[in-house]
């Protein structure tokens, strides 16, 4: 084990020696708090002569001392375990994989293939930030918890390791000890005013406003009538607090949100207390959703969420913040970022991509080739039946939903997992069916509700063929290999004679295992 | 609406559905009716001792549910079907709520074959396909064990031949 060598020389490395302190800080704080309380109470009792507290001599001192000893023992155990856990944790980066060995009682080893890398995050919780440390998460596609977490590394080391990981996953060869940092340019920065505005114009805020109004009215009534309505206020307060906590959570997550782009993908940076820096390489975004809640319509703001394999899996606390590409953006910014994650909408020249995307965001009916629910669907969805619909281009499936609050799902044909059609008893009577595209775990669940059942059948058939063709023409997992061969995915790839074998890297070595 | 080519999503043109074993109906009847009948008895026996109307109603309710499951099971079993096409597997199911799922072989991550105690008693097994999506609900119950094994091997080999990244 080398304490501080080159992070990528293939040797076993340890995580940062301050890790135990950062990991056990919560235990430390609790112990210190209890200790302070204990001592404080004891001092208070001692200070009051003839009070009804325990006399300081005898039993009282015994209790206090005993509690203190237990606390110190508990603290020592916690710290000892953390140190032991640090001793047992080591990682190494080889050309093919990142390996992690950890665990005190049961030893765990995990190796993640770099060509399966889906995203790399560098996360700095508040306490780690104070010490200049960071946690590195490597996401590979897997069901459930499929990430490798290195906690904690020095911040510089974490970013250097991230550069190594991305370069090797991309198939870039380099001789230097330091991996080349991909150049990046900023695309989006969230102004604080808009973040606050978006929170004010959100459902929870509206709910809180109603609640507060009700409370004020209730209190005024109680003052006026002289009746005690304290219980009423007590019932409302927890609700206000819960909503406040929710808004505060959104505020800290969206604070300082920045998006930039480079050859190794999209980078997101955000967070007030816990700072998160995410890198999602090209082609790793499985599906995109643009959302506009009702209250955002006057200002035309949109939220952009994505499905990335591995993000938002089981037991991921940071699910929502991981999968948000833009917490709130105007239409132009949202479309710029959509263009970064889905470079080709597959709209052919006679048609204007702009017209299609406008229709997809805020159109209605059959404009720009959209297929919507038939009039029979009015009985099941009287408000938005003319707005719910889909449009298939050469590269993606656009699904539009909603009239009051709007949603647009974009799924590249090459990223479709499986397809489904569902028909409930009412739909059957009206000759309707709902069509679904199954994507990886995440906030985007693309569904077209209430299509004519013949239309659903046709879409099922055609979409299966389209996604098959797109899959065969899909690029390799190592995106820089692909760039080197000069067949950019930005151009329309040749469909037909191309087979999986003729596309370099289409069948990665992992297929053999 | 004007299309005549595939007017019905649950009966696409050129697809021949393979039915599952009718033994699935027996298995579903057993595993559905027996617990309900036990519950009905559990309500009826004390009702004999204490003549209290709600107990009889409860017993009748459970018995009616058991009868409904008995009636429903063969129809549900008949609604299950699957079809192996060149590039994907189709699975359909359901009477009240009808579903059809298309799973491309190239998207398959793994295949499960499962047979519970009741299933084994009737000599059937369930094959389930998994993709990278949790939304893919592609299970075929009520397959004869050798058919389940054949399907598993066939799907696995086809999945490997057509493997694609995510």
């Amino acid at each position: 084990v080398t304490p501080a060598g080159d992070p990528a020389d293939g040797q076993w490395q340890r995580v940062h020696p301050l890790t135990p302190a950062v990991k056990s800080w919560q235990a430390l704080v609790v112990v210190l708090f209890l200790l302070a309380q204990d001592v404080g109470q004891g001092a208070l009792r001692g200070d009051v002569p003839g009070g009804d507290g325990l006399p300081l001599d005898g039993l009282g001192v015994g209790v206090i001392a005993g509690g203190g000893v237990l606390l110190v023992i508990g603290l020592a155990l916690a710290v000892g375990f953390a140190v032991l856990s640090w001793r047992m944790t080591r990682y190494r980066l080889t050309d093919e994989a990142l390996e992690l060995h950890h665990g005190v009682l049961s030893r765990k080893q995990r190796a993640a293939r770099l060509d399966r890398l889906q995203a790399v995050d560098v996360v700095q919780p508040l306490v780690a930030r104070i010490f200049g440390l960071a946690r590195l998460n490597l996401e590979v596609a897997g069901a459930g918890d499929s990430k490798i977490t290195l906690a904690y590394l020095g911040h510089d080391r974490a970013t250097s390791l991230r550069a190594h990981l991305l370069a090797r996953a991309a198939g870039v060869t380099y001789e230097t000890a330091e991996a080349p940092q991909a150049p990046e340019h900023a695309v989006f920065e969230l102004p604080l005013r808009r973040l606050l505005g978006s929170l004010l114009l959100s459902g929870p805020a509206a709910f809180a406003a109603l609640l507060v109004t009700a409370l004020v009215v209730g209190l005024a009534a109680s003052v006026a009538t002289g009746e005690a309505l304290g219980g009423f206020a007590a019932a409302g307060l927890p609700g206000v607090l819960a909503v406040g906590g929710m808004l505060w959570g959104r505020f800290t997550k969206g604070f300082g949100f920045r998006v930039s782009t480079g050859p190794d993908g999209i980078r997101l940076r955000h967070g007030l207390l816990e700072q998160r820096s995410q890198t999602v390489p090209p082609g790793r975004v499985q599906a995109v959703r643009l959302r506009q809640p009702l209250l955002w319509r006057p200002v035309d703001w949109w939220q952009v969420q994505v499905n990335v394999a591995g993000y938002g899996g089981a037991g991921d606390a940071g699910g929502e913040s991981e999968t948000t590409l833009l917490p709130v953006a105007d239409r132009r910014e949202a479309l710029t970022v959509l263009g970064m994650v889905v470079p080709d909408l597959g709209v052919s020249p006679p048609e204007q991509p702009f017209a299609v995307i406008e229709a997809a965001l805020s159109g209605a009916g059959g404009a720009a080739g959209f297929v919507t629910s038939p009039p029979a669907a009015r009985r099941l969805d009287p408000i938005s039946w003319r707005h719910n619909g889909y449009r298939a281009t050469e590269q993606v499936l656009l699904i539009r939903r909603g009239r009051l609050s709007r949603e647009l799902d974009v799924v590249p044909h090459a990223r479709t997992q499986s397809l489904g059609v569902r028909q409930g008893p009412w739909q059957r009577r009206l000759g309707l069916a709902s069509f679904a595209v199954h994507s990886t775990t995440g906030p985007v669940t693309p569904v077209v509700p209430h299509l004519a059942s013949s239309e659903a059948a046709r879409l099922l058939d055609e979409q299966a063929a389209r996604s098959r063709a797109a899959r065969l023409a899909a690029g390799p997992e190592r995106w820089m290999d692909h760039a080197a061969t000069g067949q950019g995915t930005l151009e329309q790839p040749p469909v037909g004679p191309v087979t999986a074998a003729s596309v370099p890297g289409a069948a990665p070595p992992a297929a053999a295992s | 609406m004007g299309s005549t080519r595939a007017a019905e999503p649950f009966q696409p043109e050129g697809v021949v559905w393979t039915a599952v074993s009718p033994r699935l109906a027996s298995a579903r009847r057993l595993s559905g009716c027996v617990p309900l009948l036990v519950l009905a008895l559990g309500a009826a026996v004390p009702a004999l001792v204490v003549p209290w109307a709600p107990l009889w109603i409860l017993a009748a309710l459970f018995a009616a549910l058991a009868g409904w499951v008995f009636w429903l099971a063969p129809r549900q079993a008949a609604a299950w079907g699957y079809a192996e096409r060149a590039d994907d597997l189709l699975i359909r199911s359901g009477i009240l709520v009808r579903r059809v799922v298309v799973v491309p072989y190239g998207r398959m991550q793994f295949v499960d074959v499962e047979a519970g105690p009741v299933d084994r008693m009737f000599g059937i097994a369930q094959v389930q396909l998994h993709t990278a999506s949790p939304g893919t609900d592609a299970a075929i119950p009520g397959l004869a064990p050798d058919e389940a094994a054949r399907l598993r091997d066939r799907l696995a080999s086809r999945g490997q031949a057509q493997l694609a990244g995510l």
Side-chain angles (χ1 to χ4, degrees):
Chain A
V1 175
T2 52
D6 171 21
D9 54 4
Q11 300 299 308
W12 285 105
Q13 320 255 343
R14 279 213 178 106
V15 294
H16 199 279
L18 278 176
T19 302
V22 175
K23 278 193 171 169
S24 55
W25 77 273
Q26 276 167 321
L28 252 164
V29 167
V30 169
V31 165
L32 287 178
F33 176 76
L34 288 178
L35 214 59
Q37 205 182 26
D38 213 40
V39 169
Q41 276 182 358
L44 203 66
R45 282 171 190 145
D47 281 348
V48 184
D52 50 355
L54 283 168
L56 196 56
D57 52 302
L59 191 60
V61 172
V63 167
I64 291 167
V69 166
L70 277 180
L71 281 175
V72 169
I73 289 175
L75 182 67
L77 278 177
V79 170
F81 191 80
V83 170
L84 201 60
S85 157
W86 170 76
R87 289 271 306 172
M88 304 297 264
T89 303
R90 53 191 191 149
Y91 67 94
R92 73 170 172 179
L93 176 65
T94 66
D95 286 339
E96 294 291 316
L98 179 66
E99 294 172 44
L100 172 69
H101 290 190
H102 65 120
V104 174
L105 293 178
S106 56
R107 301 280 295 141
K108 293 168 202 153
Q109 305 188 355
R110 182 174 275 191
R113 288 189 59 89
L114 295 184
D115 55 2
R116 289 290 172 188
L117 174 147
Q118 301 292 322
V120 187
D121 297 355
V122 173
V123 187
Q124 283 190 290
L126 185 60
V127 177
R129 250 171 97 189
I130 294 168
F131 289 101
L133 302 181
R135 193 168 70 211
L136 183 128
N137 291 344
L138 172 78
E139 281 291 354
V140 288
D145 170 33
S146 59
K147 67 171 71 159
I148 282 193
T149 301
L150 301 183
Y152 286 90
L153 307 173
H155 186 254
D156 292 345
R157 194 178 188 80
T159 49
S160 141
L161 193 59
R162 173 175 62 189
H164 278 289
L165 289 170
L166 287 167
R168 289 186 185 181
V172 174
T173 47
Y174 53 93
E175 298 301 321
T176 50
E178 201 61 23
Q181 290 274 2
E184 56 179 300
H185 75 270
V187 176
F188 172 82
E189 198 162 331
L190 177 59
L192 182 62
R193 277 178 58 192
R194 196 195 297 160
L195 175 63
L196 292 172
S198 75
L199 293 176
L200 281 178
L201 291 175
S202 65
F207 180 71
L210 278 178
L211 213 61
V212 168
T213 314
L215 280 182
V216 169
V217 169
L219 280 177
S222 81
V223 170
T225 58
E227 279 178 57
L229 281 175
F232 178 73
L237 268 178
V240 173
L241 286 179
V243 171
M246 200 178 192
L247 290 174
W248 170 249
R250 287 197 194 173
F251 174 74
T252 58
K253 278 174 192 159
F255 184 85
F257 206 102
R258 278 173 294 157
V259 180
S260 55
T261 177
D264 60 0
I266 289 196
R267 296 208 171 167
L268 312 175
R269 288 191 188 79
H270 53 107
L272 176 64
L273 303 176
E274 174 178 291
Q275 279 192 335
R276 192 175 270 271
S277 159
Q278 299 172 242
T279 309
V280 180
R284 260 54 174 184
V285 171
Q286 306 279 332
V288 190
R289 170 171 291 176
L290 281 80
R291 242 183 98 238
Q292 184 173 54
L294 179 63
L295 291 171
W296 288 6
R297 286 187 54 162
V299 281
D300 200 23
W301 285 342
W302 294 83
Q303 185 184 44
V304 184
Q305 293 174 305
V306 288
N307 281 3
V308 171
Y311 272 169
D316 259 348
E320 197 194 334
S321 57
E322 278 177 334
T323 52
T324 303
L325 209 54
L326 287 177
V328 49
D330 63 28
R331 182 176 293 220
R332 193 182 51 79
E333 290 160 344
L335 292 184
T336 306
V337 169
L338 174 66
M340 282 156 48
V341 291
V342 184
D344 185 7
L345 282 178
V347 180
S348 310
E351 210 177 2
Q352 291 298 316
F354 185 73
V356 173
I357 208 74
E358 281 296 311
L361 287 179
S362 46
F370 267 82
V371 178
T372 54
S373 308
R378 189 180 300 170
R379 307 235 324 248
L380 292 178
D381 192 348
I383 294 170
S384 46
W385 64 277
R386 280 184 66 243
H387 294 255
N388 298 339
Y390 78 92
R391 159 79 202 266
T393 70
E394 284 162 35
Q395 296 293 323
V396 300
L397 187 69
L398 300 163
I399 298 177
R400 179 182 69 195
R401 270 188 315 272
R403 179 176 190 174
L404 301 176
S405 59
R406 296 158 164 167
E407 281 183 345
L408 169 68
D409 292 345
V410 183
V411 192
H413 296 324
R415 304 283 157 207
T416 310
Q417 294 293 329
S418 60
L419 308 168
V421 167
R422 214 182 122 89
Q423 187 179 49
W426 289 107
Q427 289 182 315
R428 191 172 179 183
R429 187 163 296 179
L430 298 168
L432 305 171
S434 297
F435 174 85
V437 177
H438 303 141
S439 178
T440 55
T441 312
V444 189
T445 47
V447 176
V448 195
H450 312 315
L451 284 174
S453 63
S454 60
E455 197 56 58
R458 197 167 64 88
L459 180 56
L460 188 68
D461 213 40
E462 291 179 359
Q463 194 58 29
R466 276 193 287 261
S467 55
R468 179 165 63 244
R471 218 162 37 239
L472 293 179
E477 298 278 298
R478 296 188 164 180
W479 61 95
M480 291 306 278
D481 277 1
H482 189 71
T485 58
Q487 314 172 341
T489 34
L490 301 185
E491 273 76 50
Q492 167 69 26
V495 181
V498 180
T499 62
S502 74
V503 177
S513 59
Chain B
M1 288 190 274
S3 165
T4 52
R5 200 166 58 86
E8 182 50 60
F10 305 100
Q11 190 51 67
E13 194 183 281
V15 169
V16 182
W17 295 105
T18 311
V20 302
S21 164
R23 291 195 297 270
L24 176 65
S26 315
R28 290 272 164 99
R29 273 179 172 169
L30 184 72
S31 59
C33 293
V34 167
L36 284 168
L37 287 177
V38 167
L39 283 173
L41 272 179
V45 168
L48 285 173
V49 183
V50 190
W52 190 45
L55 274 176
W56 283 116
I57 294 172
L58 202 65
L61 206 71
F62 282 128
L65 266 177
W68 185 63
V69 169
F70 193 83
W71 176 84
L72 189 66
R75 284 161 180 79
Q76 265 185 337
W80 280 99
Y82 62 96
E84 292 169 74
R85 292 202 299 196
D87 300 291
D88 40 34
L89 182 81
L90 269 66
I91 303 173
R92 70 165 181 186
S93 63
I95 315 169
L96 199 62
V97 176
R98 297 199 287 177
R99 300 184 316 122
V100 57
V101 182
V102 179
V103 187
Y105 298 130
R107 283 290 182 237
M108 236 166 34
Q109 300 282 334
F110 58 97
V111 183
D112 275 342
V113 179
E114 199 183 325
V118 177
D119 286 355
R120 281 208 305 277
M121 223 161 88
F122 288 94
I124 54 174
Q126 166 170 306
V127 171
Q128 179 151 20
L129 279 68
H130 297 267
T131 68
S133 166
T136 306
D137 184 11
I140 315 173
L143 294 170
D146 50 340
E147 169 67 1
R150 185 197 68 81
L151 197 60
R152 177 199 62 204
D153 294 343
R154 184 107 177 251
L155 293 175
S157 65
R158 280 187 167 172
Q160 206 160 45
Q162 302 198 3
L163 191 110
L166 267 181

